[in-house]
Amino acid sequence: MGGVTVLTASYAGAASAPAYARLAGLAAELPGELLVRRDAGWPVLVYDDVAEAIAAAADLREAASLVPAGELLRIALHAAPTVAPAVRHAEQLLAIANPGQTLLTATTVAGLADAFTDLGVHRLRDLGSAERILELTATTEPLRSLDQVPNNLPVMFTSFVGRQTQVAALRTQLSGNRLVTLTGPGGSGKTRLAAQTAAQLAERWPDGVWWVDLSALTDAGQIPEAVAAAIGLLVESGDRLLLGQLRTKRALICLDNCEHIIDGVADFVLALHTGCPEISVLATSREPLDLAGEAVWRVPALAPDEARALFVERAGTEFPESEQAIRSICLRLDGIPLALELAAARVRTLTPEQIEAGLSDRFGLLTKNVRGVAARQQTLAASIGWSYELLSPEEREVFQRLAVFAGGFTLDAAAAVCDVVLEDFARLVDKSLVVAEGGRYRLLETIREYAAARLAEAGETDRTRSRHLDHYLTVAETAEPLLDVDREAWRARIEPDRENYRAALEYGLHADDPERGRRLAAALRWLWNLQATGNEGIGYLRRAIERAPDDRSLLQARLLYGYATVADTVDPFGYDAAGRGLALATELGDDRLRSLFLALVAVGEFFTDFQKAWDLTAEGVRLAGDNEPARNANIALQCVLLSLWDRHDELRPLLERAVDGLISSGERGIATTVLTVWAESLMSTGEPSKAVEVAERALAAAEPLGDFHRVGAARGQLATLLVRTGRLNEARELMRPLLELAETAGAVVSNLGQVMGLISYWSGEYDAAVEWVARETAADGPLAETFVPAMLLPSVAAAMRAGGRDPGEVLERAVVLARRYNLPRILADALDQLGRIAMVAQPDKAADLLHQALTIRVDHGLRTYVIDSLESLALLANHTNRPADAARLAAAAAAARTDLGLATPPDHPDLPTSDEPPLPLDEAVAYARRTRGARGRPSSGWASLTPTEQQVVDLAVEGLSNPEIGERLFMSRGTVKTHLAHVYAKLGVANRTELASLKKT
């Protein structure tokens, strides 16, 4: 490959001075140029020929095997165009080697026919990109590369030059201090030094080294979000959830660029150190955090030799004839890395002597004592100012205007805001004033601040920020239609510029005329449903609403809608945006917006009045017409209601249409809810395996949102289904992260009590099962009069009964709530358990209760729960000395469980067995109903009526129609008609009139 090949060797671990003396002697016997080095005790040899270097490595390995400690020797080879970078890289390679290994980089052996062992791609501690590593001999030990420790340390595309003494000192500081802050002026190399130190010490923190760049943050409240995103943790507003997740971790968190939100960083680090005893922090800032126990490390300038090496390496070539000029440049720039790099970038057009002269002309203006500005800042300002002066007038204008961007920007944005010409922009990138990163661009913060100051001096700040707002308003409003058809595409277009939108919103909402800011807030409403930034979003939206509190325009209605959608999961009762918005949309005659608001108002009514919620959504569907997003918003809640009402035949068509529309448009939040409803419906109606598949889809839909509440609900639903299908351990593992969040951070996880209560019950931990849902089911609790306790009480009763406690009162309360909210499955569960309780003392009453439960389950297609009814009736038959009936029903139930893939509850009763082939489920139901006559009920007259038939009679006499009776008793109108036919036959009447007359007598 040309250039040179470097061979370096050392011992792994601590070796004695005599051992290194022997190594030096062995190296001296090898061919190659032995470098004389003052900073290392191990040999480095340079070769012009790669093959010769490889042969020398083999000879050194063989010679070392004959001397003490030779088995500890490790060797590394690397080829590069020049000696200095080759040596640095070879030593980085050596650092990851194990005893007895001889490592080579892939570039070193390119084109050679020798056989080497390919060890795969690894990342060295110099923070460069991962590269392929090979071994001259085969060993089994894994390389000690950076990949062995969880981390997100940034990839550095330039080498780390010098500062070895400082790295060593910082390693010592981090060994004895949990908080080390690197301070110094912008451009002094704080970031690179911190990253390099973290990389070298990564193995000290088994739970990872995590890099968090704070430069784009505009508010201290965003710090937990940034940290959680870097580590890959769930996040919600505030730091409680994050601290809970980190409480037991051993990790290093590197907070870079803290100075602009220093107070907030200090508060966050204090909370972190108070609640997370094994978390260490390495911070970079222009000033200390001023916290007790903080070790402050002031980053010095590069030593003269280090500064020279940095300049030459960044320039890309040696200048033997310009050595004096280079030394002068390094001295006059005070060894500040950013200044040196800016100067080195000029060698494409200027000689070192011209650069030195340019510094003389311009440095003199900025080296005088300027009050209030530190000397280091003066020096850095001089270097940037000199670079700025070298720009053409057109380049300067563009450079100044770029200061208004936050967190990066695209070329299109730069063109729109700055009137940028591609050639001028390219020169700014080439001169290192603009950083190019994968199709996006940014200014280093120090340079951005310098550009902002020049923009202010030119009196152009307000005008440029206004153009910045105009551009991002145009982008947001142009993208807004995607919210109805492809939210993933909307997200891809908007999300990368989140920081620019924050900056534009701040400017727009503070302006004397807030109209543009209000429009932008309305267009960005869905942004705050991502990454759990809801509290921030409703802050912007509320400010936008209150900048024009008396406005009655469509814009105000859109803002209210945005607020209501975000607040739905963040602060649903804090501000009646939905009600206000519905009134305004009605006033404006906007049916689509009315439909959307009706769905949101219905959500507010949902917990206490199902029928009102249904009526609102029905009106919403009517108003939506052909508008799919508005229609789906209402249908989603209708799906929830139909599922609770167990009207599954009506539910399925709505589910399929709603899911398709929601998924195709990228509306992941509502899609997750609808998919969980679908999964529960499938479980209830006898398709548990398909239910698990749909629940897995729900979780997959929720996870990209990073929304703690949606992910928690989806995990809970899937865990519930896994329990019911016999995968209890998988369910526990699925819930473990959420359980840890609740226990360590006090997070409120959707349905956590219900799911963990179910897991406890199926684990045979009956008291724990009751305790998990105690708050939600308390008779005097905040949810007591909502439908929530009803959903949980039958499970509570089952756990109590299994644990030997009397659940009678709990079940009676469940019946009352289930009837109030029209919850057939819950009512059947409660009646079934009441029947089991009454079985011994009141078998007739038990039969009535159990058959009521069976009828409800059959009428509503609840095939999974029909199995429970058959088992209860088998138990009753066994108690009433009908063993043959008991065995037949038990066998049918057991077979159905097996066929559907359902687990057997831990408190399942012992039932008689049968050698007969089991009846199919439907035949078993018919058999159970036929054998009910064994109790001796007469065939005619009032006494012949079943409890259900008596209820039908009472409601018919009251004047209710068949559909009304069916709704009241949770059965279809066809079932009502059948019951009435049986009643007429038993009582010898022909119609309702005769029935009413007979009832009166």
Side-chain angles (χ1 to χ4, degrees):
M1 60 168 285
V4 299
T5 300
V6 165
L7 181 156
T8 184
S10 72
Y11 293 103
S16 65
Y20 273 102
R22 287 192 296 270
L23 178 59
L26 295 175
E29 298 294 322
L30 298 173
E33 177 187 358
L34 186 62
L35 294 185
V36 178
R37 307 177 70 217
R38 293 173 296 178
D39 58 343
W42 51 86
V44 175
L45 294 105
V46 181
Y47 297 84
D48 293 326
D49 181 69
V50 173
E52 184 181 11
I54 294 173
D59 291 342
L60 179 59
R61 173 69 62 199
E62 182 177 358
S65 68
L66 304 176
V67 301
E71 72 276 9
L72 300 177
L73 187 67
R74 50 188 184 173
I75 303 171
L77 297 98
H78 177 64
T82 58
V83 172
V87 171
R88 278 199 303 273
H89 205 71
E91 292 183 338
Q92 290 291 335
L93 181 61
L94 188 68
I96 72 169
N98 294 295
Q101 286 186 314
T102 299
L103 302 182
L104 310 92
T105 56
T107 55
T108 303
V109 301
L112 296 181
D114 300 67
F116 303 97
T117 302
D118 188 346
L119 301 181
V121 175
H122 296 269
R123 194 173 179 205
L124 306 185
R125 302 296 174 108
D126 62 356
L127 295 176
S129 299
E131 62 182 300
R132 188 165 297 281
I133 305 299
L134 300 104
E135 187 178 5
L136 189 58
T137 55
T139 60
T140 58
E141 292 293 322
L143 295 183
R144 299 164 59 241
S145 65
L146 195 56
D147 308 284
Q148 297 301 312
V149 178
N151 73 89
N152 69 331
L153 288 169
V155 174
M156 301 294 185
F157 296 103
T158 56
S159 57
F160 181 69
V161 178
R163 297 210 190 268
Q164 295 306 319
T165 301
Q166 296 168 41
V167 170
L170 276 171
R171 287 168 62 108
T172 302
Q173 290 277 15
L174 275 169
S175 297
N177 299 277
R178 291 181 60 207
L179 170 61
V180 177
T181 304
L182 279 64
T183 64
S188 61
K190 302 184 294 295
T191 294
R192 188 61 188 271
L193 180 58
Q196 196 66 46
T197 303
Q200 292 199 13
L201 291 175
E203 67 274 6
R204 288 189 185 177
W205 291 278
D207 293 314
V209 175
W210 304 106
W211 189 264
V212 187
D213 185 359
L214 305 180
S215 61
L217 271 58
T218 58
D219 180 76
Q222 300 162 12
I223 295 173
E225 171 191 338
V227 173
I231 303 176
L233 300 176
L234 293 173
V235 64
E236 66 178 8
S237 179
D239 61 14
R240 183 182 64 175
L241 177 62
L242 174 62
L243 297 179
Q245 295 173 85
L246 294 174
R247 194 174 307 280
T248 60
K249 304 297 184 184
R250 290 177 58 197
L252 175 68
I253 297 178
C254 305
L255 301 176
D256 190 33
N257 297 305
C258 302
E259 52 274 355
H260 60 300
I261 49 174
I262 190 77
D263 292 336
V265 173
D267 291 340
F268 174 76
V269 171
L270 181 60
L272 194 65
H273 277 183
T274 301
C276 307
E278 295 191 278
I279 296 292
S280 296
V281 174
L282 180 62
T284 73
S285 176
R286 296 186 186 183
E287 59 181 305
L289 302 184
D290 285 333
L291 291 175
E294 179 184 26
V296 179
W297 178 265
R298 299 192 181 279
V299 178
L302 291 171
D305 287 346
E306 293 176 332
R308 179 198 171 279
L310 179 64
F311 181 90
V312 170
E313 188 151 320
R314 296 299 188 262
T317 184
E318 294 275 356
F319 299 92
E321 72 285 356
S322 301
E323 183 66 19
Q324 183 177 350
I326 292 173
R327 293 279 180 183
S328 176
I329 291 169
C330 293
L331 178 65
R332 296 176 69 180
L333 291 180
D334 287 343
I336 294 178
L338 177 58
L340 290 166
E341 296 201 14
L342 289 172
R346 303 275 69 75
V347 299
R348 297 176 191 157
T349 54
L350 301 175
T351 66
E353 287 76 12
Q354 288 174 315
I355 294 171
E356 182 190 17
L359 286 175
S360 296
D361 292 340
R362 289 156 178 82
F363 238 175
L365 299 176
L366 298 175
T367 54
K368 295 179 181 179
N369 184 19
V370 180
R371 291 183 180 90
V373 179
R376 291 189 300 266
Q377 292 173 318
Q378 294 173 26
T379 305
L380 183 58
S383 65
I384 299 174
W386 163 75
S387 183
Y388 175 78
E389 291 296 329
L390 289 177
L391 299 177
S392 69
E394 294 78 15
E395 291 170 344
R396 290 181 197 170
E397 191 172 78
V398 171
F399 175 63
Q400 292 171 4
R401 292 173 177 173
L402 291 174
V404 300
F405 289 104
F409 52 89
T410 63
L411 186 58
D412 288 343
V417 175
C418 307
D419 289 331
V420 68
V421 176
L422 181 59
E423 291 76 10
D424 292 337
F425 188 77
R427 283 193 289 272
L428 292 176
V429 174
D430 194 43
K431 293 172 183 178
S432 300
L433 290 171
V434 175
V435 178
E437 296 177 328
R440 290 182 63 83
Y441 304 88
R442 66 183 176 90
L443 272 63
L444 296 174
E445 183 60 23
T446 301
I447 295 178
R448 192 195 69 79
E449 289 181 6
Y450 183 89
R454 303 289 80 77
L455 186 66
E457 288 175 0
E460 289 291 309
T461 300
D462 191 69
R463 176 173 174 270
T464 308
R465 290 196 68 184
S466 180
R467 294 187 63 171
H468 178 269
L469 171 59
D470 282 340
H471 169 71
Y472 284 104
L473 175 59
T474 299
V475 172
E477 290 188 333
T478 301
E480 196 172 6
L482 288 173
L483 289 173
D484 286 347
V485 294
D486 190 348
R487 294 201 173 197
E488 296 298 333
W490 183 93
R491 180 181 185 178
R493 187 175 300 182
I494 300 297
E495 178 76 45
D497 278 301
R498 182 184 285 263
E499 299 303 328
N500 279 307
Y501 285 114
R502 282 168 168 153
L505 281 167
E506 289 293 341
Y507 178 77
L509 294 177
H510 274 103
D512 292 338
D513 181 359
E515 181 74 7
R516 289 180 298 164
R518 281 162 42 82
R519 286 167 53 196
L520 182 59
L524 292 176
R525 62 185 179 275
W526 198 64
L527 181 63
W528 316 112
N529 285 314
L530 305 173
Q531 299 182 12
T533 51
N535 281 318
E536 180 185 4
I538 61 177
Y540 283 124
L541 287 158
R542 189 159 187 168
R543 283 167 59 193
I545 293 166
E546 292 177 352
R547 280 303 312 265
D550 299 323
D551 181 33
R552 306 299 293 171
S553 69
L554 181 60
L555 173 58
Q556 188 79 333
R558 291 173 58 228
L559 287 167
L560 288 164
Y561 174 67
Y563 185 103
T565 58
V566 178
D568 180 35
T569 57
V570 178
D571 185 23
F573 305 113
Y575 187 72
D576 185 23
R580 291 178 56 188
L582 177 59
L584 182 52
T586 302
E587 178 183 317
L588 295 170
D590 189 318
D591 284 350
R592 174 184 176 276
L593 203 52
R594 284 176 65 197
S595 174
L596 291 168
F597 273 119
L598 282 166
L600 291 167
V601 173
V603 170
E605 299 289 346
F606 172 68
F607 284 91
T608 56
D609 193 332
F610 283 0
Q611 191 59 51
K612 187 171 182 180
W614 177 271
D615 293 342
L616 289 166
T617 57
E619 178 66 6
V621 169
R622 185 187 70 80
L623 291 171
D626 295 331
N627 187 276
E628 284 293 317
R631 184 179 184 279
N632 286 336
N634 286 279
I635 285 179
L637 186 55
Q638 288 190 336
C639 288
V640 176
L641 289 166
L642 288 172
S643 177
L644 291 169
W645 286 333
D646 288 305
R647 290 157 60 176
H648 299 283
D649 290 342
E650 299 172 59
L651 172 62
R652 292 297 169 81
L654 288 182
L655 282 171
E656 293 172 3
R657 179 172 177 180
V659 167
D660 289 343
L662 291 164
I663 294 294
S664 65
S665 67
E667 176 46 281
R668 291 180 175 272
I670 301 177
T672 299
T673 299
V674 173
L675 284 166
T676 58
V677 168
W678 194 346
E680 184 61 36
S681 174
L682 288 165
M683 171 56 80
S684 295
T685 55
E687 299 181 80
S689 60
K690 188 174 180 181
V692 171
E693 294 176 6
V694 173
E696 290 171 341
R697 283 180 63 192
L699 182 55
E703 284 180 330
L705 293 174
D707 185 321
F708 169 68
H709 302 284
R710 300 284 191 190
V711 172
R715 277 181 175 252
Q717 178 63 43
L718 178 56
T720 297
L721 300 177
L722 292 176
V723 169
R724 296 295 307 276
T725 53
R727 297 157 67 180
L728 187 58
N729 289 335
E730 290 180 59
R732 281 200 197 93
E733 287 304 310
L734 189 66
M735 295 303 292
R736 190 179 304 281
L738 299 175
L739 184 59
E740 290 175 354
L741 291 178
E743 291 178 345
T744 59
V748 179
V749 182
S750 298
N751 298 329
L752 179 64
Q754 179 178 354
V755 179
M756 294 308 301
L758 186 70
I759 290 174
S760 297
Y761 168 71
W762 283 78
S763 302
E765 301 167 357
Y766 302 122
D767 289 342
V770 174
E771 186 61 31
W772 267 111
V773 293
R775 179 181 177 277
E776 288 84 353
T777 58
D780 56 352
L783 301 175
E785 295 306 314
T786 71
F787 79 98
V788 173
M791 305 298 295
L792 304 175
L793 288 171
S795 297
V796 171
M800 292 173 65
R801 186 163 50 82
R805 297 158 61 184
D806 181 8
E809 291 186 8
V810 169
L811 290 169
E812 294 293 350
R813 182 174 167 225
V815 168
V816 171
L817 288 173
R819 292 192 187 281
R820 179 186 303 169
Y821 286 101
N822 192 1
L823 303 171
R825 178 173 65 85
I826 302 302
L827 178 60
D829 287 350
L831 293 173
D832 189 270
Q833 291 195 60
L834 283 170
R836 290 198 181 196
I837 293 172
M839 205 170 283
V840 175
Q842 298 175 287
D844 285 353
K845 178 180 179 181
D848 288 340
L849 291 168
L850 295 179
H851 277 278
Q852 286 182 56
L854 175 63
T855 298
I856 292 171
R857 287 164 171 169
V858 170
D859 286 350
H860 291 84
L862 303 175
R863 294 182 67 80
T864 295
Y865 299 97
V866 165
I867 296 172
D868 296 330
S869 280
L870 294 181
E871 289 172 341
S872 295
L873 289 166
L875 197 61
L876 175 64
N878 201 42
H879 273 294
T880 54
N881 297 314
R882 293 183 288 128
D885 292 343
R888 193 166 288 121
L889 294 175
R897 279 194 187 278
T898 301
D899 291 345
L900 295 182
L902 293 168
T904 301
D907 60 336
H908 190 267
D910 291 329
L911 294 169
T913 59
S914 172
D915 294 332
E916 298 177 7
L919 294 172
L921 191 62
D922 291 336
E923 291 184 23
V925 169
Y927 179 81
R929 286 174 162 172
R930 287 197 305 272
T931 58
R932 186 180 184 182
R935 295 189 311 111
R937 177 180 286 121
S939 60
S940 62
W942 288 110
S944 69
L945 300 185
T946 67
T948 301
E949 290 169 347
Q950 290 172 359
Q951 288 179 302
V952 170
V953 168
D954 290 340
L955 295 175
V957 170
E958 288 181 23
L960 273 67
S961 66
N962 286 6
E964 289 171 335
I965 295 172
E967 185 175 338
R968 183 77 63 88
L969 298 181
F970 317 115
M971 60 182 66
S972 69
R973 66 180 67 183
T975 301
V976 175
K977 186 176 180 180
T978 299
H979 279 306
L980 284 173
H982 291 163
V983 168
Y984 295 162
K986 290 178 180 180
L987 298 181
V989 296
N991 52 45
R992 285 173 176 251
T993 303
E994 293 181 11
L995 178 64
S997 298
L998 183 62
K999 179 73 172 175
K1000 291 177 181 178
T1001 62

